[in-house]
């Protein structure tokens, strides 16, 4: 057999230098850019300098503390403690943490947040400015207080009880109930099974203050804490500040042992079957628990990680091939290898069977896994997978200075909690090449066999009432038959890759004019076929290229009867592939390339969007070319789509959220509105293969009606000949379409309704909205958004903090420019049914207060600061330049001009908001639909 890596080396022009010998016992190469240290009190710190977003830093505190450490009378307190970190600390009493950061543009739940899991609790402050005097010190002081300065006063604890209970209520549904039921099986009856982070509501309602304070004292301590600072900072300066601020924290004397909960092995397969009245589609999880080492990682561990990733990728490709066939018994099946707990990984299959096919779906998926175990993988599969990994590393190295904060913090968190190495990526790539060079196909097969053990197996079945659900006995019989049978044959990889455009006659055109617009620095090319391309170079994100082709028309030009089919155009196009290649073959031919394209049809426009890297720009343009001249519609794929849609219909049938959605639709538009259809059996019948094809051809045949935008790290000289070959060669006509007004009026101007639904866990759900005609302008857009965010801040304070009646209320707003100029806003929240009427009244009161001009200037300053911060951050990404060109050439304004954003933001006043809200709510249309539990 030819050397696997040689083929990839030629294909991807990797260095031909001989790979180094793999020494499995060697430690992994460490990323020296991450500064790691430990203070004398035992606290660990990490510092990483990056200007991927300039003049900001992200601050994290990683607590090696989760719900698994709770005593029986503390269930829910790890999570409760997380909430209390935002309710008063030594240096930031009350809501001081949030108020302080929000003044500088940070947004709660976006930039400021936290989470609690079984084994850890992590707090974050993301993208906090570093060029504001004193703010770095303030951010570090907040971390200090989260570590050792929570006030935990009685009144704040009592106020938060209701919030926690409403968070629990919001998250309760059939899937959550079944997940909780599966925990004893998943975790083999260990402490994990009884330690859902949200806890028990009886304890949340009634625990004594001292119980929470004891948990804080016992577990929030320096030997279980790490802080991380990542961003545009001076490492030496931050290290000095950390030593000064955090060193005075005293280590806890005689600390409790931080025990790692072990999940014991099981000889017999563990089994759980769960059903719920709200769940109408099945789901199967067949896993095998694996040991997880917490020792320092070596090259051997990295080799296992590579092998695991390769095996997963190759088997999942086979499973996708099966799922893309009409006779597949499952909607999807996936092989996964992931962390289960601090000291345990899990390997296995997750399967979504088609209705009444659980046994067959399980058998086919297990057969595919065992096919690989018995026969291994083909040279073609391995070559393509190595190509994918090689491309991954090459791309990552090309963007080594632009790794997002979250990705860096993720590696830091894994290092602190799981002792995972923070590797040097270029050196890791060299190591990967050496492993690939020495690897034999039998190595991957042997690795897979080692994972597939007869012990430590777990089968969890989400069943459906009335179906023949997969039993433990049936599963064991299937496993025995598959593992010991002789009917399996080796996988045949019959794919022979050629180029995307083989057999396609492309007559290149010309660029007939080229004009530079100095206002935004964009170049406009007019091509010989009449197509127009706007281009701008930017390397703000290195090696990143984006394309968007847009044309007005969209669903507004589609017949009402064809709208269901139009809604499936994008999905079927993605499932069918393009040109001569099915979706499965397309993924193979694109192995080792960074290319992603998608077609879409919206209400008023159709578009093709794409993203790639500089080396694959030609492949991207080839795909765009094919989307116009050789779209592929596969009848087998359509049959699969029909099966998937039928499964979705069944899935929605008992789901309360979808019942609410349908109720709102029928209340506003009736049961027979041709443009606002319910997703029901008749809707599915109206989706046809021929109509999907015809709608696609109507919307995408004439490329001359599209405007193309390309931006990114690609030079003009490189791009121009490719435009001439792949865009100027497209067939065009002089027809230019315009969108039509396809808006649909509500049946009634005012809609107020209480809807009673049967539900297992009682909760009320409030949906409110107002809309009115309103002139579109950039100024009005900002004023409406300011109203939205001020109202959300007020509702956070009243509904959540004062009343403890909801986990949170969301406010959304929109000012549309076309087809009609309309302003609208929506208020959504879940809450205690006994409090719903009072909370709804408070919402109306808060809106009335704003209409009367009672707007807290501090709230307005917070939202304005957040817009300025967001605007600054947007400019650090390539898609800002894409939006810049679209807005300039299509919408007619320059978003680089401060008068179109910064000046408008700074000019917003309370009087502007008051006037806007008063005008838009005067004689407005509205609905207020409240869903309540049926008694």
């Amino acid at each position: 057999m030819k050397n696997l890596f040689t083929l990839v080396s030629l294909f991807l022009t990797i260095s031909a230098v001989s790979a180094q010998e793999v020494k499995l016992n060697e430690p992994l190469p460490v990323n020296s850019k991450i500064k790691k240290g430990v203070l004398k009190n035992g606290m660990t710190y990490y510092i990483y300098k990056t200007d991927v977003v300039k003049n900001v830093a992200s601050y994290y505190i990683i607590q090696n503390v989760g719900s698994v450490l709770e005593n029986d009378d503390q269930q829910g307190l790890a999570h409760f403690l997380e909430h209390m970190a935002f309710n008063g600390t030594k240096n930031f009493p009350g809501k001081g943490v949030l108020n302080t950061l929000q003044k500088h543009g940070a947004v709660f739940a976006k930039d400021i947040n936290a989470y609690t899991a079984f084994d850890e609790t992590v707090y974050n402050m993301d993208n906090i400015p570093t060029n504001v005097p004193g703010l770095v010190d303030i951010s570090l002081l907040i971390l200090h207080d989260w570590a050792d300065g929570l006030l935990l006063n009685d009144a704040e604890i009592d106020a938060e009880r209701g919030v926690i209970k409403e968070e629990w209520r919001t998250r309760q549904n059939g899937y959550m109930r079944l997940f909780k039921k599966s925990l004893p099986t998943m975790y083999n009856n260990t402490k994990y099974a009884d330690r859902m982070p949200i806890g028990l509501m009886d304890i949340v309602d009634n625990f004594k203050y001292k119980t929470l304070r004891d948990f804080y004292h016992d577990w929030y301590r320096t030997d279980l804490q790490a802080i991380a600072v990542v961003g545009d900072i001076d490492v030496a300066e931050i290290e000095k500040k950390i030593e000064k601020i955090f060193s005075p924290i005293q280590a806890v004397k005689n600390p409790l042992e931080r025990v790692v909960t072990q999940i014991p092995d099981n000889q017999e397969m563990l089994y759980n079957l769960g059903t719920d009245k709200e769940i109408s589609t099945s789901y199967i999880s067949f896993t095998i628990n694996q040991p997880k080492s917490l020792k320092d990682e070596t090259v051997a561990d990295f080799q296992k990680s590579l092998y695991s990733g390769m095996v997963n990728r190759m088997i999942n490709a086979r499973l996708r091939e099966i799922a893309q066939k009409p006779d597949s018994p499952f909607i999807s099946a996936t092989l996964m290898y992931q962390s289960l707990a601090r000291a345990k990984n899990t390997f296995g299959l997750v399967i979504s069977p088609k209705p009444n096919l659980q046994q067959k779906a399980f058998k086919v998926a297990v057969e595919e896994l065992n096919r690989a175990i018995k026969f291994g993988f083909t040279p073609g599969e391995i070559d393509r997978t190595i190509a994918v990994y090689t491309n991954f590393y090459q791309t990552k190295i090309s963007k080594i200075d632009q790794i997002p904060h979250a990705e860096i913090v993720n590696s830091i968190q894994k290092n602190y909690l799981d002792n995972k190495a923070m590797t040097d990526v270029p050196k890791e790539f060299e190591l990967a090449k050496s492993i690939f060079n020495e690897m034999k196909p039998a190595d991957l097969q042997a690795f897979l066999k080692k994972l597939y053990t007869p012990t430590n197996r777990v089968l969890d079945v989400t069943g459906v009432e009335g179906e023949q659900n997969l039993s433990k006995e049936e599963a064991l019989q299937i496993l025995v038959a598959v593992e010991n049978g002789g009917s399996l044959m080796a996988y045949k990889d019959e794919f022979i890759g050629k180029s995307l455009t083989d057999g396609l006659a492309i007559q290149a055109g010309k660029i007939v004019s080229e004009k530079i617009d100095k206002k935004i620095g964009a170049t406009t090319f007019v091509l010989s076929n009449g197509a127009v391309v706007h281009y701008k170079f930017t390397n703000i994100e290195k090696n990143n290229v984006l394309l968007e082709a847009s044309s007005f028309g969209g669903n507004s030009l589609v017949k009402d009867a064809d709208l269901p089919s139009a809604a499936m155009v994008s999905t079927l196009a993605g499932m069918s592939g393009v040109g001569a290649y099915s979706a499965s073959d397309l993924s193979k031919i694109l192995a080792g390339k960074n290319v992603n394209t998608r077609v879409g049809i919206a209400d008023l426009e159709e578009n093709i969007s794409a993203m790639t890297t500089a080396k694959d720009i030609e492949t991207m343009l080839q795909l765009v070319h094919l989307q116009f001249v050789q779209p592929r519609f596969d009848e087998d794929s359509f049959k699969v789509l029909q099966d998937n849609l039928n499964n979705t219909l069944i899935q929605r049938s008992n789901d309360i959220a979808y019942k609410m959605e349908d109720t709102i639709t029928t209340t506003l538009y009736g049961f027979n509105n041709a443009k606002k259809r319910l997703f029901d059996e008749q809707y599915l019948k109206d989706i046809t293969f021929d109509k999907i094809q015809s709608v696609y051809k109507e919307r995408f045949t004439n490329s001359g009606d599209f405007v193309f935008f390309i931006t990114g790290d690609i030079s003009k000289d490189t791009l121009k000949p490719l435009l001439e070959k792949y865009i100027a060669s497209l067939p065009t006509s002089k027809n230019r379409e315009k969108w039509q007004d396809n808006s649909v009026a509500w049946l009634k101007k005012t809609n107020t309704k209480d809807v009673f639904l049967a539900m297992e866990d009682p909760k009320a759900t409030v949906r409110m909205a107002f809309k009115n005609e309103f002139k579109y302008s950039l100024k009005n857009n900002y004023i409406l958004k300011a109203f939205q965010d001020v109202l959300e801040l007020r509702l956070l304070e009243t509904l959540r903090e004062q009343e403890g009646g909801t986990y949170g209320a969301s406010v959304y707003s929109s000012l549309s420019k076309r087809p009609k100029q309309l302003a609208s806003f929506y208020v959504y929240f879940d809450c205690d049914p006994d409090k719903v009427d009072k909370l709804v009244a408070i919402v109306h009161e808060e809106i009335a207060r704003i209409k009367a001009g009672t707007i807290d200037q501090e709230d307005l300053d917070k939202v304005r600061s957040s817009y300025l911060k967001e605007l600054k951050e947007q400019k650090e990404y390539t898609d800002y330049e894409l939006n810049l060109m679209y807005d300039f050439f299509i919408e007619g304004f320059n978003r680089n001009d401060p008068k179109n954003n910064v000046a408008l933001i700074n000019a917003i006043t309370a009087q502007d908001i008051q006037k806007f809200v008063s005008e838009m709510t005067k004689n407005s249309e509205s609905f207020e639909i409240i869903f309540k539990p049926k008694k």
Side-chain angles (χ1 to χ4, degrees):
M1 181 190 295
K2 60 187 175 184
N3 183 287
L4 298 175
F5 195 69
T6 302
L7 184 147
V8 180
S9 298
L10 293 173
F11 185 65
L12 295 169
T13 64
I14 297 172
S15 170
V17 176
S18 297
Q20 63 190 29
E21 180 186 353
V22 178
K23 298 178 181 178
L24 295 178
N25 294 324
E26 292 281 319
L28 290 174
V30 176
N31 184 352
S32 59
K33 281 191 66 178
I34 300 179
K35 175 72 174 180
K36 179 180 180 181
V38 180
L39 300 176
K40 290 181 180 179
N41 59 13
M43 179 178 284
T44 305
Y45 62 87
Y46 301 82
I47 311 168
Y48 186 94
K49 178 178 176 57
T50 173
D51 63 353
V52 60
V53 182
K54 294 178 176 58
N55 298 316
V56 302
S58 296
Y59 304 82
Y60 281 68
I61 181 163
I62 306 160
Q63 313 268 8
N64 186 9
V65 179
S67 58
V68 78
L69 298 178
E70 297 165 344
N71 297 328
D72 288 344
D73 65 342
Q74 295 175 326
Q75 292 181 62
L77 297 198
H79 173 250
F80 202 107
L81 200 55
E82 172 217 311
H83 276 237
M84 294 307 299
F86 300 97
N87 287 290
T89 71
K90 179 180 178 181
N91 293 288
F92 304 91
K95 297 295 182 286
V97 167
L98 293 180
N99 289 334
T100 299
L101 295 172
Q102 286 170 333
K103 289 176 183 177
H104 299 285
V107 177
F108 182 48
K110 176 191 171 190
D111 302 306
I112 317 159
N113 216 332
Y115 79 85
T116 303
F118 287 118
D119 278 301
E120 76 270 4
T121 307
V122 180
Y123 301 83
N124 65 285
M125 298 176 281
D126 287 325
N127 294 329
I128 308 301
T130 55
N131 56 354
V132 175
L135 191 53
V136 170
D137 293 311
I138 289 172
S139 300
L140 291 172
L141 190 57
I142 291 172
L143 289 185
H144 167 276
D145 278 12
W146 281 343
D148 189 52
L150 300 193
L151 294 179
L152 302 178
N153 70 55
D154 297 359
E156 291 287 357
I157 290 173
D158 287 336
E160 203 65 22
R161 294 182 198 268
V163 175
I164 300 285
K165 194 163 186 177
E166 293 312 311
E167 180 179 358
W168 170 86
R169 192 189 310 276
T170 293
R171 294 180 177 178
Q172 284 301 107
N173 57 33
Y175 291 106
M176 181 58 74
R177 289 190 291 271
L178 291 182
F179 175 70
K180 187 172 182 180
K181 183 179 183 297
S182 73
L183 291 179
T185 304
M186 188 186 308
Y187 291 103
N188 199 3
N189 298 300
T190 56
K191 199 173 180 182
Y192 285 109
D194 298 315
R195 290 298 183 269
M196 281 282 289
I198 195 69
L200 299 179
M201 292 308 102
D202 283 346
I203 291 177
V204 167
D205 282 340
N206 300 301
F207 70 83
K208 292 182 169 58
Y209 307 126
K210 183 179 183 299
T211 308
L212 181 65
R213 292 168 188 145
D214 286 346
F215 187 87
Y216 181 49
H217 174 269
D218 287 341
W219 298 116
Y220 272 46
R221 61 192 205 222
T222 52
D223 62 310
L224 298 178
Q225 294 172 328
I227 58 173
V229 182
V230 175
D232 196 358
I233 43 88
D234 180 281
V235 173
E237 181 183 352
I238 292 295
E239 187 171 31
K240 289 179 181 177
K241 289 178 182 291
I242 288 172
E243 290 175 350
K244 180 180 178 181
I245 294 173
F246 292 90
S247 291
I249 299 175
Q250 296 295 309
V252 172
K253 295 180 180 179
N254 302 315
L256 294 177
E257 181 184 359
R258 199 314 187 184
V259 176
V260 174
T261 300
Q262 300 291 332
I263 299 174
D265 291 342
N266 52 285
Q267 296 299 312
E268 181 183 343
M269 184 175 73
L270 304 178
Y271 173 81
N272 174 63
L273 170 64
T275 61
D276 191 278
K277 292 179 180 179
E278 294 177 17
I279 305 300
S280 48
T281 53
S282 58
Y283 180 86
I284 299 169
S285 170
F286 171 60
T287 55
I288 303 173
N289 290 339
Q290 308 287 331
K292 181 201 288 188
S293 172
L294 297 177
K295 296 179 181 178
D296 291 346
E297 286 194 299
T298 64
V299 173
D301 295 307
F302 178 60
Q303 183 190 59
K304 290 176 184 177
S305 175
L306 278 179
Y307 285 3
S308 171
M310 294 181 72
V311 164
N312 277 18
R313 177 173 288 275
M314 289 186 287
I315 294 178
N316 282 329
R318 295 183 184 184
L319 292 169
R320 280 194 301 272
E321 283 185 9
I322 295 172
Q324 288 164 359
K325 296 175 182 177
D327 61 354
S328 169
F330 49 71
I331 299 295
S332 66
T334 305
L335 184 74
M336 54 81 183
Y337 187 97
Q338 61 189 27
S339 175
L340 175 65
R342 178 63 56 82
K344 192 73 72 176
N345 289 320
T346 187
F347 160 82
L349 293 161
V350 289
I351 308 161
S352 296
K354 290 179 180 177
N356 293 300
L357 290 177
Q358 291 181 34
Q359 290 76 9
K360 189 174 181 181
F362 181 67
K363 180 175 183 290
V364 171
V366 169
E367 281 179 339
E368 206 55 45
L369 175 54
N370 276 269
R371 192 187 315 280
I373 291 168
K374 291 184 178 183
F375 301 104
F377 303 95
T378 69
E381 288 179 297
I382 296 172
D383 288 343
R384 288 192 297 270
T385 305
I386 292 175
V388 169
Y389 272 90
T390 302
N391 177 68
F392 165 79
Y393 278 112
Q394 289 176 329
T395 303
K396 194 162 186 175
I397 290 168
S398 73
K399 301 180 179 185
I400 198 71
D401 295 326
Q402 294 185 312
I403 302 173
H405 289 189
E407 187 175 331
I408 297 163
V409 172
N410 184 53
S411 68
I412 289 171
Q413 185 171 317
K414 287 181 177 178
N415 176 260
Y416 182 66
L417 297 175
D418 297 328
N419 205 28
K420 297 291 183 184
M422 301 178 292
T423 56
D424 181 297
V425 175
K427 291 179 180 178
E428 183 182 302
F429 181 34
E430 292 303 313
L431 191 56
K433 286 192 285 187
S434 298
I435 291 171
F436 290 148
N437 194 52
E438 291 188 9
M439 183 184 70
K440 300 177 179 63
D443 295 337
L444 291 172
Q445 186 180 1
F447 175 77
L448 183 55
K449 285 182 178 179
K450 190 174 181 180
L451 292 179
Y452 193 75
T453 62
T455 57
N456 299 322
R457 295 182 172 190
V458 180
L459 180 64
D460 181 63
V461 179
T462 295
V464 177
E465 294 181 0
E467 267 194 35
Q468 185 183 349
N469 298 306
L470 179 65
S471 68
K472 181 177 182 179
E473 293 71 23
E474 288 173 324
L476 290 173
Q477 288 172 6
I478 291 170
L479 289 167
V480 169
V482 171
E483 292 166 358
N484 299 308
S487 62
L488 287 180
M489 304 291 288
Y491 174 78
K492 291 184 178 180
D493 184 13
E494 298 174 347
F495 174 73
I496 301 175
K498 297 181 180 179
S499 76
L500 280 170
T501 55
D502 272 359
L504 188 65
I506 299 177
Q507 298 294 323
K510 295 290 184 182
I511 294 174
V512 296
S513 73
E514 179 180 330
K515 180 181 178 182
I516 298 176
D517 191 292
K518 295 182 180 178
K519 290 182 180 178
I520 64 169
T523 300
T524 298
F525 301 108
V526 178
L527 309 183
S528 54
N529 62 351
V532 176
V533 180
H534 301 294
Y535 155 79
K536 185 176 181 183
F537 172 83
T538 176
N539 61 355
I540 190 72
E541 288 185 274
K542 290 183 173 61
N543 201 21
N544 193 40
V545 182
L546 301 178
L547 175 146
E548 183 85 17
S550 297
S551 167
F552 279 124
N555 285 326
S556 74
L557 303 183
V558 175
K559 298 175 184 177
D560 286 351
D562 294 346
L563 286 173
S565 297
M568 296 299 131
V569 164
S570 178
T571 303
L572 184 59
M575 293 173 65
S576 297
V578 70
Y581 297 101
S582 66
S584 178
D585 285 346
L586 186 62
S587 67
K588 294 174 182 178
I589 202 169
L590 295 178
K593 295 181 181 291
N594 290 298
V595 185
N596 186 17
T597 62
R598 184 182 184 279
V599 300
I601 303 179
D603 283 347
L604 302 180
E605 69 176 21
E606 50 272 342
N607 63 76
I608 298 176
S609 55
M611 59 186 300
T612 189
T613 52
K615 75 177 178 66
D616 295 321
I617 182 73
E618 183 169 12
T619 302
M620 180 187 77
L621 291 172
Q622 287 175 342
L623 286 170
V624 171
H625 182 96
L626 288 168
Q627 298 284 15
F628 282 108
V629 302
Q630 271 197 3
R632 181 184 175 93
F633 293 95
D634 185 270
E635 291 202 53
D636 279 350
S637 294
F638 178 69
K639 292 175 183 176
V640 173
L641 173 61
Q642 287 179 308
D643 283 343
N644 293 352
L645 292 173
N646 282 321
N647 191 71
T648 300
L649 183 61
I650 294 170
Q651 185 180 34
R652 290 168 60 110
S653 61
N654 292 330
D655 191 296
I656 290 178
Y658 287 118
K659 290 180 180 180
M660 293 180 185
E661 180 184 305
D662 289 347
T663 299
I664 293 172
T665 299
T666 54
T667 300
L668 299 180
Y669 303 105
F671 286 89
N672 300 305
N673 192 301
K675 286 185 169 63
K676 296 292 182 180
R677 300 273 303 272
L678 292 180
F679 189 88
D680 55 18
E681 289 184 10
Q682 187 57 51
Y683 184 92
L684 298 191
K685 289 178 182 177
D686 290 342
I687 298 170
T688 72
F689 183 71
D690 291 339
K691 284 181 181 178
I692 292 176
Q693 278 188 296
S694 65
V695 169
Y696 186 102
K697 290 176 181 177
E698 288 172 6
R699 300 292 88 234
F700 292 97
T701 295
N702 180 20
S703 59
D705 195 33
F706 284 74
V707 179
F708 293 81
F709 302 91
I710 300 176
T711 185
D713 193 2
I714 184 74
S715 71
K716 184 188 295 187
D717 290 341
T718 301
L719 181 63
K720 287 169 67 174
L722 298 175
L723 293 178
E724 291 180 324
K725 183 173 183 180
Y726 297 111
I727 305 300
S729 60
L730 291 171
T732 60
S733 73
K734 293 183 179 180
N735 293 334
R736 296 295 181 266
E737 294 178 328
K738 295 183 179 179
W739 55 267
Q740 296 180 3
D741 186 350
N742 65 343
S743 55
V744 184
W746 291 352
L747 294 177
K748 295 191 298 183
K749 184 175 180 179
T750 303
N751 302 271
T752 303
K753 189 175 186 179
D754 284 355
V755 180
F756 294 90
L757 298 173
M759 54 184 76
E760 288 289 313
D761 295 300
K763 70 177 175 181
T765 298
V766 177
R767 301 288 184 261
M768 304 168 59
F770 298 81
K771 72 173 182 176
N772 211 339
E773 293 183 3
F774 213 95
K775 181 181 178 181
Y776 179 88
S777 69
L778 294 175
K779 177 181 178 180
N780 284 340
N781 200 43
Y782 275 118
I783 293 172
L784 176 57
K785 182 170 170 54
F787 161 64
Q788 163 197 296
D789 293 335
V790 166
L791 178 60
E792 191 163 279
L793 285 173
R794 289 300 311 144
L795 297 182
L796 178 71
E797 174 63 25
T798 54
L799 302 187
R800 174 173 162 142
E801 301 301 336
Q802 292 179 11
E803 297 294 330
T806 181
Y807 181 49
S810 298
V811 186
Y812 303 96
S813 67
S814 171
L815 182 61
S816 63
K817 185 176 183 180
R818 54 180 80 89
K820 294 186 186 319
Q821 297 188 47
L822 287 172
S824 60
F825 72 92
Y826 306 80
V827 180
Y828 298 165
F829 61 93
D830 294 332
C831 66
D832 182 342
D834 294 335
K835 294 184 177 182
V836 63
D837 294 335
K838 180 180 182 180
L839 299 184
V840 168
I842 291 173
V843 173
H844 287 292
E845 289 170 9
E846 291 299 335
I847 294 171
R849 280 163 53 89
I850 293 173
K851 286 170 64 175
T854 307
I855 299 172
D856 192 321
Q857 185 62 42
E858 187 175 348
D859 285 346
L860 179 54
D861 290 343
K862 288 176 183 178
V863 300
R864 289 192 308 190
S865 295
S866 72
Y867 302 158
L868 295 172
K869 177 177 178 287
E870 183 180 33
L871 183 65
K872 173 181 166 294
E873 291 169 7
Q874 286 174 347
K875 294 182 178 181
E876 302 289 341
Y877 299 96
T878 308
D879 60 358
Y880 174 85
E881 301 295 344
L882 197 70
N883 294 328
L884 168 71
M885 289 192 291
Y886 185 93
D887 289 340
F888 187 79
F889 292 108
I890 303 299
E891 302 295 353
F893 74 93
N894 180 3
R895 65 165 55 199
N896 271 349
D897 190 336
K899 74 178 183 182
N900 291 323
N901 39 60
V902 174
L904 294 177
I905 293 168
N906 285 327
I908 298 173
T909 64
Q911 290 72 30
D912 289 330
I913 298 174
Q914 176 191 10
K915 181 180 178 183
F916 187 102
V917 178
S918 295
E919 289 181 9
M920 84 152 287
T921 55
K922 185 178 181 180
N923 296 319
S924 64
E925 296 181 75
S926 65
F927 72 76
E928 181 176 301
I929 301 176
I930 303 175
F931 299 94
K932 298 178 179 180
K934 185 182 292 185
K935 296 181 179 179

